[in-house]
Amino acid sequence: MRLRVEFTTEPFDLDEVPPHAVAAREVVQGAALDSVDVGPFGNTAEGRAESVLATIDELLRTSLAAGATRVSLQVNVIAEAEADTGTDADTDADTAAARGGPGEGGR
């Protein structure tokens, strides 16, 4: 099984990267994952279930110890066809929901 995790750590600091965000970034970049995308407002990583779950454990422990007061994450199972093509069937629904459109009623 393959998994994708999306996560953010808080509190945010727009002036400089907080220590908990640096710690989280180091965990995912050093993990045995297939892909990692680190951004200012969210991060995504994917790989084999065992690797993603172990990374989540380390990510939570490390970022909380470094001062995070909240860690938000979402874990999705990636269909084999999706993993092979790199497409995300939920992207359109998630985008519409984020804009307050139909689907999930906005976020």
Side-chain angles (χ1 to χ4, degrees), residues 39-95:
F41 300 108
N43 309 285
T44 305
E46 68 181 60
R48 293 177 300 113
E50 300 80 20
S51 296
V52 171
L53 294 172
T55 300
I56 290 170
D57 178 59
E58 184 179 352
L59 168 75
L60 291 171
R61 294 174 190 278
T62 302
S63 59
L64 291 170
T69 58
R70 178 178 177 156
V71 179
S72 301
L73 62 90
Q74 177 177 317
V75 178
N76 293 301
V77 175
I78 303 172
E80 290 302 320
E82 180 183 335
D84 293 339
T85 64
T87 60
D88 186 349
D90 294 329
T91 299
D92 292 337
D94 287 349
T95 301

